[in-house]
Amino acid sequence: MDHTNGSFTIGALDKISSHHEHFVVEIESSEDALESIGPLFRAIYDGDDHKQFMERLDERIKNHDREIERMCNFHYQGFIDSIHELLQVRTEAERVKAEVQGVNEELQASGLAVLKKGEELMQCQQVQLNISATIERLSTCLPVLQTYGKLKDQMKCKRYYPALKTLEQLEHTYLPRVSEYRFTKIMYDQIPRLREAIKEASMSDLKDFLESIRKHSSKIGEVAMQHSAEQHSIDPALVRMPRRKRKAPPPPNPFTGEVPAPQPEAETDIYKDADEELSAQDLVDFSPVYRCWHIYTVLGAGDVFESYYRKQRKKQAKLCLQPATNMHETLDGYKRYFHELIGFFVVEDNILHTTSGLISKSYLDDLWDMALSKIVAVLRTHSAYCTDPDLMLSIKNLIILFCHTLEGYGFFVARLYGLLVEIRDQYNEILMKQWKSVFMEIFEEDNYTPITVQYQAEYVDIVSVFPFHDSFVEKSPLPKRFPFSRFVPNVYKQVKEYIFACLKFSEDLNLSQTEIDDMVRKSTNFLLTRTLSGCLSSLIRKPGLGLAQLIQITINTEYLETACIHLEDFISNVTGTSYSREVSHVAKLQGKSMFKDARSHTEQQIYQALNNKIDEFLELAIYDWTLSESRGHASGYLMDLIAFLQSTFMSFTNLPDKVAQTACMCACKHIAECLSSILLDPNAKSLSTGALQQFNLDVIQCERTYPPPSLRTTPLLAALTTRARTESHGCERCFCCFRVCQLQPRAWLRHGRTADGVHGA
């Protein structure tokens, strides 16, 4: 196609036509108009020939229209036929459409249910997905929650040490896994407070334990002492406290008749099992201490706990060391005191050996040294109040068992044995006080007459108690007569009982046999020289004691003096030592000298009593100095005196000769002095010959009677006759002098009587 202005050449037009043809073909062949022809349209409109393209496109449309018309003309009959067929099909189509609509409606109705179920299924699947996600998250969080719940349960059950371990596991293992959740921050914030709560709870348990152990230390100590007693073959009843009696059931209600249920006693019990076979350590549950110690150690506060525990236990030790004010009154007071002390140190010893570092051996030794000083002071003070030897002996046995028990736990108790030696002296003093009463009772009950036995068994009983061997008495027929009275074997027996009592206290004191023997001898010496000597002295000075009783006491002391050597042998036998009288370091009994002193005192009392009795008779002497002549026989008072002296001197046969002779000499001297005083009485202004003759008869009677034949020994006669050798030196008031003066009145006047009645040279 040519333009009017001739701008384009034919070749250019052909090229543009072919290009537009190409665009048309592209448009016709494009399946996706928007994606394929979009760039094509842009390329057309970007150029300057879009009008030509439109013309080309219109031409192409017209070509297609002509082809369609030609095809329609060619296929017209077929088209008409097709229309007729379509009209026929229309009816069927409407019917099918109606059926399809019905089916569609039915399908829609059915689909609604399916759709609903599908939606529900989708929701369920979503829920399932949510559940799965939740389960997955919970599976991650569940160990944290379980651990936290376990922590709470452990704290509730007071298992604080496992709770602390659980808390550490929760903090460092489980919480980091779920750190993205908000509750973990809350748990992290709770961890310090939980640690502090565990510390406080464990400390509260420890305080409860300390309070309980303070209350129940007595039971722990009692069990420990019982086991020690069994090991040392000691009766466990010595340390057993009396059990509390069961309370009577409450009476029924008087209005309803109902019996109220008994109320159980609320008591904190730290014992696992009160089985007598268990040891003292097994009776106590020490877990509160262990838990608290481990907890504080793990939390880095071990020093704080150690300081607190030691401080509290020292306070409790001071409380245990404070005895009851009336402890000395009963043995139970001492038992309770020892039980509490042993219970305290048994607990401490167990803590020492079952923990590392809570207490040390040096700390426990220092605590024991402090306690030992206090114990010694307490026992020394309270034992001083004791006046019962049986109680003192029981206290000693308790102290011994106390020492054995603590020695078994490794404590040093030598000072307590030293204290027992001090208490032994006090025990001996108490015994001597008791034996003083025993001796005085023996003296009161004695009849002070020689023992007479009617049967051989009685004789055997006496010689088995008192070492008496006399062949004459042994061979003499029944009834047999001993020279001493009952108090000799009784006193000897009681001295032996005293020795046994002293020996009882010396048992188990860690003393050698020599030390025990020396102690027993010294104690026996104290008994003889202090107690028995004092009793004998009181007996001898007793008012109203007769001459016969004094004589019997003298005889008794002689036999007791002889028996001292047997006491020494007896002490050697019971102490298991060999006694030799040549050994200088062994304490010898001083009974011989004591009995000699007592006998000397008794002899003086005999002499004095004899003189007093003579004075009683001479007080009856009444002389009539104006008598014209004598009565021809001795005065009646003098005959009574002579009869008394004869019977008295007969009892001197069992006395030593020297004592009997001295008594006779003193009696003669005293009679001579008394007669002389009667004769030289200043109230007698004049003397008749008859009065002098009567006085002379009395003197002659005395000469004939005294001394008795049994006592007329050469020394005594010589002592009496020397009194007559006084003519140039004055009257010495002896019997011979009286007789000479009476028979020779001038000589008497020269020797004795002056104008004023004074006896001069």
Side-chain angles (χ1 to χ4, degrees):
M1 182 171 40
D2 296 329
H3 291 280
T4 60
N5 55 5
S7 309
F8 295 100
T9 65
I10 297 174
L13 291 174
D14 291 337
K15 185 177 181 181
I16 294 172
S17 298
S18 61
H19 188 61
H20 289 168
E21 184 68 23
H22 176 71
F23 285 158
V24 171
V25 173
E26 286 292 330
I27 292 172
E28 289 178 348
S29 61
S30 176
E31 296 179 358
D32 191 355
L34 295 176
E35 295 179 0
S36 301
I37 67 178
L40 185 61
F41 288 159
R42 180 175 294 177
I44 293 172
Y45 281 97
D46 287 341
D48 297 333
D49 51 353
H50 58 277
K51 291 182 179 181
Q52 289 85 353
F53 175 75
M54 291 298 295
E55 292 176 357
R56 183 65 176 175
L57 185 60
D58 289 337
E59 183 181 352
R60 189 66 175 257
I61 292 173
K62 290 177 180 180
N63 289 333
H64 281 297
D65 288 339
R66 283 192 298 271
E67 287 179 2
I68 291 172
E69 183 178 354
R70 187 175 57 254
M71 287 181 69
C72 287
N73 290 332
F74 178 77
H75 295 288
Y76 177 76
Q77 188 62 41
F79 176 73
I80 296 300
D81 294 335
S82 298
I83 292 299
H84 287 296
E85 289 177 2
L86 287 174
L87 291 175
Q88 292 176 0
V89 173
R90 179 178 181 181
T91 304
E92 292 296 329
E94 291 178 354
R95 183 180 61 82
V96 171
K97 180 180 179 182
E99 291 179 359
V100 169
Q101 288 179 347
V103 172
N104 182 47
E105 291 176 358
E106 293 177 0
L107 182 61
Q108 290 295 329
S110 299
L112 289 175
V114 173
L115 184 60
K116 184 177 180 180
K117 293 295 184 182
E119 291 176 353
E120 292 178 356
L121 179 60
M122 290 177 63
Q123 292 177 356
C124 290
Q125 289 177 346
Q126 186 63 40
V127 171
Q128 185 176 5
L129 291 175
N130 293 339
I131 291 173
S132 299
T134 303
I135 290 174
E136 183 180 355
R137 299 296 185 273
L138 288 177
S139 298
T140 307
C141 298
L142 188 59
V144 178
L145 301 176
Q146 289 176 339
T147 306
Y148 189 78
K150 179 181 177 182
L151 172 64
K152 289 295 186 180
D153 291 339
Q154 288 172 339
M155 292 186 65
K156 184 177 179 181
C157 297
K158 297 184 179 182
R159 300 175 59 207
Y160 301 118
Y161 185 66
L164 189 61
K165 292 295 185 183
T166 303
L167 186 61
E168 294 291 330
Q169 188 179 21
L170 178 65
E171 181 182 12
H172 297 99
T173 303
Y174 294 108
L175 284 180
R177 298 177 183 177
V178 292
S179 58
E180 67 273 14
Y181 300 109
R182 286 180 296 175
F183 72 89
T184 58
K185 184 177 184 304
I186 299 174
M187 286 189 176
Y188 273 121
D189 295 338
Q190 287 289 332
I191 287 175
R193 289 193 286 270
L194 288 173
R195 283 200 179 97
E196 193 64 29
I198 290 174
K199 284 179 61 177
E200 293 176 357
S202 61
M203 181 58 71
S204 177
D205 280 356
L206 176 68
K207 292 178 180 178
D208 293 341
F209 170 82
L210 292 176
E211 183 179 356
S212 298
I213 206 71
R214 171 71 181 92
K215 294 179 180 178
H216 298 89
S217 291
S218 180
K219 177 61 179 178
I220 299 171
E222 180 180 356
V223 174
M225 290 189 76
Q226 287 181 7
H227 291 169
S228 180
E230 293 171 356
Q231 293 174 2
H232 292 84
S233 301
I234 301 174
D235 186 7
L238 175 66
V239 300
R240 194 172 292 130
M241 291 293 293
R243 301 304 179 194
R244 291 184 302 178
K245 297 181 179 180
R246 295 183 60 186
K247 294 183 178 179
N253 190 312
F255 300 103
T256 62
E258 297 180 354
V259 179
Q263 296 294 330
E265 296 183 0
E267 183 174 337
T268 304
D269 192 3
I270 61 170
Y271 301 128
K272 296 177 181 176
D273 186 4
D275 191 346
E276 294 295 335
E277 299 299 326
L278 294 178
S279 66
Q281 296 92 331
D282 295 334
L283 289 175
V284 183
D285 181 14
F286 290 94
S287 58
V289 182
Y290 302 148
R291 283 197 304 266
C292 198
W293 169 242
H294 289 311
I295 288 170
Y296 271 74
T297 303
V298 171
L299 296 177
D303 294 340
V304 176
F305 177 79
E306 176 185 335
S307 175
Y308 176 81
Y309 178 83
R310 294 187 179 186
K311 181 179 179 182
Q312 294 301 317
R313 289 298 280 168
K314 281 184 179 179
K315 289 182 179 179
Q316 291 188 350
K318 292 179 181 179
L319 291 176
C320 291
L321 291 170
Q322 293 294 332
T325 55
N326 61 343
M327 184 181 78
H328 59 276
E329 296 180 358
T330 61
L331 186 63
D332 291 341
Y334 287 92
K335 289 181 183 179
R336 190 176 298 106
Y337 183 66
F338 288 142
H339 290 169
E340 290 184 356
L341 288 172
I342 291 179
F344 177 86
F345 283 102
V346 166
V347 170
E348 290 303 285
D349 181 76
N350 187 74
I351 293 294
L352 173 66
H353 290 90
T354 54
T355 60
S356 59
L358 181 54
I359 62 174
S360 62
K361 179 63 176 175
S362 60
Y363 159 79
L364 191 57
D365 290 340
D366 292 341
L367 187 62
W368 168 244
D369 290 339
M370 180 274 294
L372 185 58
S373 300
K374 183 66 175 178
I375 292 169
V376 171
V378 167
L379 293 179
R380 183 182 289 116
T381 301
H382 282 267
S383 61
Y385 295 111
C386 184
T387 58
D388 184 2
D390 294 333
L391 177 59
M392 184 69 78
L393 190 62
S394 299
I395 293 171
K396 169 256 179 181
N397 293 331
L398 268 181
I399 296 176
I400 291 292
L401 189 53
F402 178 74
C403 293
H404 288 334
T405 305
L406 289 176
E407 279 180 326
Y409 290 95
F411 293 98
F412 185 70
V413 294
R415 290 180 61 185
L416 288 175
Y417 286 108
L419 174 66
L420 285 174
V421 175
E422 297 179 20
I423 296 178
R424 178 196 63 191
D425 297 335
Q426 181 182 350
Y427 172 75
N428 292 339
E429 291 291 336
I430 297 173
L431 285 181
M432 286 192 289
K433 291 180 181 179
Q434 180 180 357
W435 255 255
K436 179 180 179 180
S437 302
V438 172
F439 289 146
M440 295 305 296
E441 184 178 356
I442 291 174
F443 296 157
E444 290 291 337
E445 294 177 353
D446 193 31
N447 56 8
Y448 297 96
T449 58
I451 302 173
T452 302
V453 294
Q454 303 293 333
Y455 304 100
Q456 184 65 23
E458 295 178 353
Y459 174 81
V460 172
D461 290 341
I462 293 176
V463 297
S464 63
V465 172
F466 182 75
F468 175 77
H469 303 286
D470 188 288
S471 57
F472 176 77
V473 177
E474 291 177 357
K475 294 178 181 179
S476 62
L478 293 171
K480 297 179 183 290
R481 183 183 179 89
F482 290 92
F484 46 79
S485 66
R486 283 281 177 187
F487 95 58
V488 172
N490 290 341
V491 167
Y492 186 82
K493 179 181 178 181
Q494 288 302 321
V495 172
K496 291 173 69 175
E497 291 293 332
Y498 176 85
I499 293 172
F500 279 125
C502 292
L503 196 61
K504 283 183 180 180
F505 198 93
S506 299
E507 295 175 353
D508 302 322
L509 292 185
N510 293 340
L511 299 176
S512 64
Q513 290 182 338
T514 303
E515 291 174 327
I516 294 175
D517 181 82
D518 187 62
M519 182 275 295
V520 173
R521 290 180 186 275
K522 289 180 179 179
S523 300
T524 307
N525 275 332
F526 282 128
L527 178 73
L528 296 176
T529 58
R530 289 172 52 185
T531 306
L532 184 56
S533 175
C535 292
L536 284 173
S537 179
S538 300
L539 174 65
I540 294 168
R541 294 194 305 268
K542 183 179 179 181
L545 200 62
L547 185 61
Q549 294 171 318
L550 289 171
I551 294 172
Q552 188 62 55
I553 291 173
T554 302
I555 297 171
N556 291 348
T557 54
E558 181 180 4
Y559 281 96
L560 287 174
E561 177 186 350
T562 305
C564 285
I565 188 173
H566 297 283
L567 283 178
E568 291 181 344
D569 295 336
F570 173 75
I571 293 174
S572 299
N573 292 332
V574 296
T575 57
T577 57
S578 57
Y579 172 70
S580 175
R581 294 176 180 84
E582 288 76 18
V583 179
S584 60
H585 69 273
V586 177
K588 296 180 175 58
L589 294 184
Q590 301 174 6
K592 287 187 176 181
S593 60
M594 185 275 295
F595 286 122
K596 286 181 181 178
D597 294 340
R599 188 164 59 253
S600 176
H601 190 191
T602 308
E603 291 169 2
Q604 295 298 325
Q605 293 294 322
I606 290 174
Y607 305 152
Q608 185 63 38
L610 189 59
N611 291 342
N612 293 338
K613 198 67 178 177
I614 291 173
D615 290 340
E616 292 179 6
F617 283 100
L618 293 178
E619 286 177 357
L620 302 176
I622 300 176
Y623 285 98
D624 184 5
W625 299 117
T626 60
L627 189 66
S628 58
E629 64 179 278
S630 67
R631 290 186 290 270
H633 57 80
S635 301
Y637 80 92
L638 190 64
M639 297 304 297
D640 294 338
L641 173 61
I642 291 172
F644 164 74
L645 292 176
Q646 285 178 341
S647 63
T648 300
F649 285 136
M650 287 299 295
S651 63
F652 284 1
T653 55
N654 290 326
L655 289 174
D657 293 340
K658 182 179 179 180
V659 176
Q661 293 169 10
T662 303
C664 180
M665 180 181 292
C666 290
C668 293
K669 178 181 177 182
H670 187 67
I671 293 173
E673 291 175 349
C674 291
L675 291 176
S676 175
S677 63
I678 292 174
L679 184 63
L680 300 177
D681 186 4
N683 295 325
K685 301 300 181 180
S686 62
L687 300 175
S688 65
T689 303
L692 290 175
Q693 289 176 351
Q694 181 61 43
F695 193 84
N696 184 57
L697 288 175
D698 293 342
V699 175
I700 293 173
Q701 185 64 37
C702 290
E703 285 182 332
R704 292 176 180 176
T705 309
Y706 290 98
S710 60
L711 297 178
R712 288 181 182 178
T713 61
T714 300
L716 179 60
L717 291 175
L720 291 174
T721 55
T722 55
R723 314 287 285 183
R725 302 173 185 173
T726 58
E727 291 188 6
S728 61
H729 300 287
C731 180
E732 293 295 333
R733 304 173 185 176
C734 65
F735 297 151
C736 299
C737 179
F738 286 144
R739 186 168 61 84
V740 170
C741 291
Q742 291 160 3
L743 294 177
Q744 300 177 2
R746 292 180 180 178
W748 172 78
L749 290 173
R750 178 171 51 85
H751 286 289
R753 175 71 74 180
T754 61
D756 56 0
V758 179
H759 186 268

